[in-house]
Amino acid sequence: MWGLLAGQLSQVLLLTSAEDLDCTPGFQQKVFHIDQPAEFIEDQAILNLTFSDCKGNDKLHYEVSSPYFRVNTDGSLVALRNITAVGKTLFVHARTPHAEDMAELVIVGGKDIQGSLQDIFKFARTSPVPRQKRSIVVSPILIPENQRQPFPRDVGKVVDSDRPEGSKFRLTGKGVDQEPKGIFRINENTGSVSVTRNLDRETIATYQLFVETIDVNGRTLEGPVPLEVIVIDQNDNRPIFREGPYIGHVMEGSPTGTTVMRMTAFDADDPATDNALLRYNIRQQTPDKPSPNMFYIDPEKGDIVTVVSPALLDRETLENPKYELIIEAQDMAGLDVGLTGTATATIMIDDKNDHSPKFTKKEFQATVEEGAMGVIVNLTVEDKDDPTTGAWRAAYTIINGNPGQSFEIHTNPQTNEGMLSVVKPLDYEISAFHTLLIKVENEDPLVPDVSYGSSSTATVHITVLDVNESPVFYPDPMMVTKQENISVGSVLLTVNATDPDSLQRQTIRYSVYKDPAGWLNINPINGTVDTTALLDRESPFVHNSVYTALFLATDSGNPPATGTGTLLITLEDVNDNAPFIYPTVAEVCDDAKNLSVVILGATDKDLHPNTDPFKFEIHKQTVPDKVWKISKINNTHALVSLLQNLNKANYHLPIMVTDSGKPPMTNITDLRVQVCSCKNSKVDCNAAGAPHFSAATALLLSLFNLACL
């Protein structure tokens, strides 16, 4: 059938050429649609291609884009093996020293091909069969990319059988008068289309041009008619891996066939051809132990899978848990003529917790001095899992022997050792030995078929060493309450200190450590504390009525140990401080209408009830009754006022203030009152002159002076 169709097609082409065309170099038919039978049979002719260089076809050579077909020197297309190729597009390149051309072969399913010979063989866009009314005849031009010199070279021809005399061809479109300009041009007289330089399909795959005929004035006579230029792909791009780095992980012990990762490459060539049909393989595996073929890559998908048994995929027995694979991608479906690209795949064998931690020994020993704290022993374990994972990191637990919570255990993150520490001081007199039971586990759970055994527990024997401990005061602090001003030599209390070293026979001596006011003494033998001076609640060494002293208790050990005790003495107040007034100076104008002089306040260092209410009085024995007056304001304040205006002078008014203590205490203080001149809002006290006293006061001063002679 194929021979018959090919013969009919050749007759049609010959008739058309004889009637309408001069000899045009190249394939006489550019495009074929081939009906795919059930299978192409090896070496059976499929169709015949007609190529002419118009000079005898000397040294004619054909190239086919698919490795599964070839074209014999007589132009017959045959399959190289039994093959089904529906959907394939083939390109046949024919070349002689005088001409070259490209033909396109589209293989379609037989059930899709029905109808006349014209439907089966589509002669490009404007098939000369049957004859069309228009006179411009164009066929698509197929040009292989990357053609070599010389340029320009003819690639096709436009024919106009009815072209008027003097008319010319004109070619327009992208690649001619539009960017990229100047790639194609047409002989305006003959219609020959030429290309001026090599083409790159990966840059532009098709060019849409237009042909028309014009008169001598440039006016269009016919057209424009579309002319499509198709750039035929050549295998000029290597596969490249663009998504690296490629790092995959697979768990140790994974079943055979476990997918690790996918690696895909990119080829810039035409994806509809074998130029971009990639196949993958593993070129090299490092290391090559325990098997040189630990992994397999799907040649079409690029999936990398494990091919060894789970037993060989054991991280703990591998020399190196990291494998590097050199992956090669080859186009042309992996044929030797294909171009290649490589990339490195790094595969990590990840650890799973298939080994339990084990103590390096069953029992550990530790010693610690009583009273000491800190790490006392490091517990060592072994674990074959990956040290960087939770399958290796250890977690320790004290499961017995720690009722008082005196011990804690933590993991050293660098060594994985268990650091056993004392966190509460141990007492040799209570227990000289401790035994702990400790278990170790991993942070991550074990795999189902592995469990913790007896080697994951260990015993720690701890010996407590006796040390000479300091005596301890009881209670501490010691507190006592006494009245201030108790007689010197009064006994305050007897302190008591005991030695924790109950198994040793030691004596204790006492001494004063800190006594800020120097008020106390302690008997070194029995600890009795008495006073050496009067206690004063108002002393600067007393704070909030409490006096603080420190004592030492030193045992007879070698070396001796000393303990410190605190004594807090609360001092009760007695009325031993007289009140005093403030202020002691006042000013008043000599013509003042308001005869109020000053408001006096009083204060007392003692505490209630030995302070206010205070009683304010003028010491009447030395002051005239009809000049001064003092009036109570409240418990702590009183008002001093004049009963008449006085001349400018300084006056001394004795004020007597008495507290409420039992017995009360009284204090007499002179209030100096300056009577000043106050004119025009100016106060002048400079003219007050010498102090002015009453006659009685003057008499007292004279007697005082005589007594001093």
Side-chain angles (χ1 to χ4, degrees):
M1 176 180 178
W2 290 109
L4 176 61
L5 291 175
Q8 293 175 345
L9 177 61
S10 299
Q11 292 176 8
V12 171
L13 291 174
L14 290 173
L15 290 173
T16 302
S17 299
E19 292 176 2
D20 300 322
L21 305 177
D22 296 330
C23 180
T24 301
F27 283 105
Q28 304 306 299
Q29 180 177 337
K30 303 291 187 182
V31 181
F32 294 87
H33 285 68
I34 305 173
D35 183 11
Q36 165 76 67
E39 186 177 45
F40 289 124
I41 306 302
E42 182 179 351
D43 290 334
Q44 179 180 342
I46 299 172
L47 58 81
N48 289 327
L49 303 169
T50 302
F51 175 86
S52 175
D53 66 356
C54 301
K55 294 186 178 181
N57 284 356
D58 184 39
K59 297 181 180 179
L60 175 59
H61 176 70
Y62 292 100
E63 293 177 347
V64 186
S65 62
S66 171
Y68 306 122
F69 297 89
R70 77 166 183 267
V71 176
N72 296 327
T73 55
D74 61 358
S76 59
L77 175 69
V78 298
L80 297 179
R81 65 180 187 184
N82 295 350
I83 188 172
T84 298
V86 173
K88 285 280 187 179
T89 298
L90 312 180
F91 296 98
V92 179
H93 182 209
R95 182 175 65 250
T96 72
H98 306 290
E100 61 179 312
D101 198 4
M102 186 76 70
E104 181 181 8
L105 287 67
V106 181
I107 303 173
V108 297
K111 64 181 180 179
D112 298 328
I113 300 299
Q114 297 178 357
S116 64
L117 180 64
Q118 177 186 355
D119 297 324
I120 298 175
F121 298 105
K122 297 180 180 179
F123 305 122
R125 295 181 181 272
T126 55
S127 172
V129 182
R131 178 84 176 196
Q132 297 186 4
K133 293 298 184 180
R134 70 185 184 190
S135 58
I136 298 179
V137 179
V138 296
S139 295
I141 298 175
L142 285 75
I143 305 175
E145 65 174 334
N146 304 323
Q147 286 183 314
R148 297 186 296 272
Q149 293 285 355
F151 290 104
R153 61 169 66 194
D154 290 340
V155 292
K157 188 173 184 179
V158 177
V159 177
D160 187 350
S161 57
D162 297 331
R163 181 162 59 97
E165 186 175 352
S167 63
K168 298 180 180 180
F169 291 104
R170 180 164 62 189
L171 187 64
T172 59
K174 187 177 295 185
V176 182
D177 56 348
Q178 301 175 26
E179 294 295 341
K181 296 180 179 179
I183 296 177
F184 303 100
R185 61 191 184 192
I186 190 170
N187 187 308
E188 60 183 13
N189 296 316
T190 66
S192 292
V193 178
S194 60
V195 63
T196 62
R197 58 178 181 263
N198 61 8
L199 305 180
D200 183 7
R201 189 205 67 87
E202 286 71 46
T203 301
I204 300 178
T206 61
Y207 295 85
Q208 191 67 44
L209 310 180
F210 297 91
V211 180
E212 58 185 340
T213 55
I214 58 175
D215 61 16
V216 293
N217 296 318
R219 292 176 298 186
T220 300
L221 299 176
E222 184 177 357
V225 175
L227 170 61
E228 185 176 29
V229 177
I230 301 171
V231 183
I232 305 303
D233 187 42
Q234 301 291 313
N235 192 18
D236 58 344
N237 289 279
R238 292 181 178 276
I240 57 173
F241 291 88
R242 302 189 297 185
E243 300 174 0
Y246 296 91
I247 301 176
H249 293 264
V250 62
M251 190 70 70
E252 65 172 328
S254 296
T256 303
T258 299
T259 299
V260 180
M261 60 192 298
R262 171 173 287 188
M263 290 188 65
T264 55
F266 168 77
D267 194 312
D269 291 321
D270 188 352
T273 69
D274 286 350
N275 294 338
L277 184 59
L278 304 182
R279 293 294 181 263
Y280 301 94
N281 69 89
I282 299 174
R283 292 288 303 274
Q284 180 180 325
Q285 170 192 300
T286 305
D288 60 358
K289 300 290 190 298
S291 168
N293 300 302
M294 298 286 289
F295 306 95
Y296 165 80
I297 188 168
D298 186 302
E300 296 184 1
K301 297 180 180 179
D303 289 338
I304 300 176
V305 299
T306 63
V307 293
V308 294
S309 66
L312 289 181
L313 209 61
D314 183 359
R315 188 186 177 283
E316 286 72 40
T317 61
L318 296 175
E319 293 182 5
N320 190 339
K322 180 174 74 173
Y323 286 87
E324 290 190 349
L325 308 180
I326 304 300
I327 305 300
E328 179 184 74
Q330 187 170 25
D331 59 22
M332 296 302 293
L335 293 180
D336 291 342
V337 295
L339 302 177
T340 62
T342 61
T344 299
T346 301
I347 299 177
M348 307 298 299
I349 310 301
D350 291 338
D351 188 39
K352 64 181 179 181
N353 197 8
D354 55 352
H355 294 85
S356 62
K358 298 178 180 180
F359 283 101
T360 57
K361 50 186 177 180
K362 194 63 179 176
E363 295 183 348
F364 293 85
Q365 305 291 331
T367 58
V368 57
E369 291 183 348
E370 63 174 330
M373 293 191 294
V375 178
I376 59 175
V377 66
N378 290 321
L379 310 179
T380 53
V381 296
E382 293 178 344
D383 196 315
K384 296 181 179 179
D385 292 313
D386 184 358
T388 63
T389 66
W392 177 81
R393 290 190 291 270
Y396 298 87
T397 306
I398 302 173
I399 59 177
N400 195 16
N402 191 29
Q405 305 302 308
S406 298
F407 303 93
E408 286 184 0
I409 187 166
H410 300 280
T411 303
N412 186 318
Q414 281 75 40
T415 64
N416 217 28
E417 294 177 345
M419 300 181 296
L420 180 63
S421 303
V422 176
V423 294
K424 292 182 180 179
L426 303 177
D427 191 341
Y428 172 83
E429 284 70 32
I430 295 177
S431 178
F433 300 96
H434 296 269
T435 300
L436 305 180
L437 184 61
I438 298 177
K439 72 174 181 180
V440 61
E441 297 176 319
N442 289 130
E443 290 183 4
D444 292 348
L446 294 172
V447 296
D449 55 340
V450 177
S451 60
Y452 294 102
S454 59
S455 57
S456 295
T457 60
T459 302
V460 182
H461 299 285
I462 302 167
T463 301
V464 182
L465 302 178
D466 188 23
V467 297
N468 188 23
E469 298 174 84
S470 301
V472 178
F473 284 87
Y474 182 82
D476 190 25
M478 300 161 283
M479 291 180 285
V480 65
T481 300
K482 297 291 180 180
Q483 277 193 341
E484 63 175 332
N485 296 333
I486 61 175
S487 60
V488 175
S490 298
V491 175
L492 300 180
L493 81 165
T494 299
V495 302
N496 179 37
T498 59
D499 195 334
D501 298 306
S502 58
L503 301 180
Q504 303 179 30
R505 300 178 63 87
Q506 298 186 121
T507 59
I508 297 176
R509 295 184 65 86
Y510 300 95
S511 60
V512 177
Y513 179 42
K514 286 186 178 180
D515 179 17
W519 293 342
L520 306 176
N521 176 63
I522 188 169
N523 187 302
I525 305 300
N526 60 22
T528 299
V529 179
D530 57 13
T531 63
T532 60
L534 292 177
L535 307 184
D536 183 8
R537 193 198 66 85
E538 290 74 37
S539 168
F541 299 106
V542 177
H543 302 284
N544 297 324
S545 300
V546 177
Y547 180 70
T548 302
L550 301 178
F551 297 95
L552 299 179
T554 305
D555 64 21
S556 58
N558 186 18
T562 300
T564 304
T566 302
L567 173 61
L568 302 178
I569 305 173
T570 300
L571 296 175
E572 295 179 340
D573 187 43
V574 298
N575 195 17
D576 58 348
N577 289 278
F580 57 90
I581 65 167
Y582 60 91
T584 58
V585 178
E587 293 179 356
V588 65
C589 295
D590 57 354
D591 59 351
K593 294 180 181 181
N594 181 1
L595 298 180
S596 296
V597 176
V598 67
I599 295 177
L600 296 178
T603 186
D604 194 319
K605 292 182 179 180
D606 293 318
L607 301 176
H608 284 288
N610 298 321
T611 57
D612 61 90
F614 298 113
K615 181 180 180 181
F616 296 89
E617 298 175 283
I618 297 174
H619 196 41
K620 296 183 178 181
Q621 291 85 349
T622 58
V623 179
D625 290 339
K626 297 183 179 181
V627 177
W628 304 94
K629 179 183 178 181
I630 189 166
S631 305
K632 179 180 178 180
I633 296 176
N634 54 33
N635 289 344
T636 57
H637 291 79
L639 173 65
V640 176
S641 57
L642 287 169
L643 298 176
Q644 63 185 37
N645 290 110
L646 296 178
N647 295 327
K648 304 171 194 171
N650 288 336
Y651 297 86
H652 288 268
L653 183 65
I655 302 296
M656 183 170 64
V657 59
T658 305
D659 63 24
S660 297
K662 294 181 180 181
M665 294 194 73
T666 298
N667 182 27
I668 299 175
T669 304
D670 277 348
L671 172 65
R672 185 163 67 93
V673 179
Q674 292 178 296
V675 178
C676 306
S677 173
C678 303
K679 294 181 179 180
N680 300 324
S681 300
K682 292 184 179 180
V683 178
D684 182 11
C685 296
N686 293 328
H692 184 79
F693 302 100
S694 63
T697 303
L699 178 61
L700 288 175
L701 290 174
S702 299
L703 293 174
F704 176 79
N705 291 333
L706 289 174
C708 294
L709 292 176

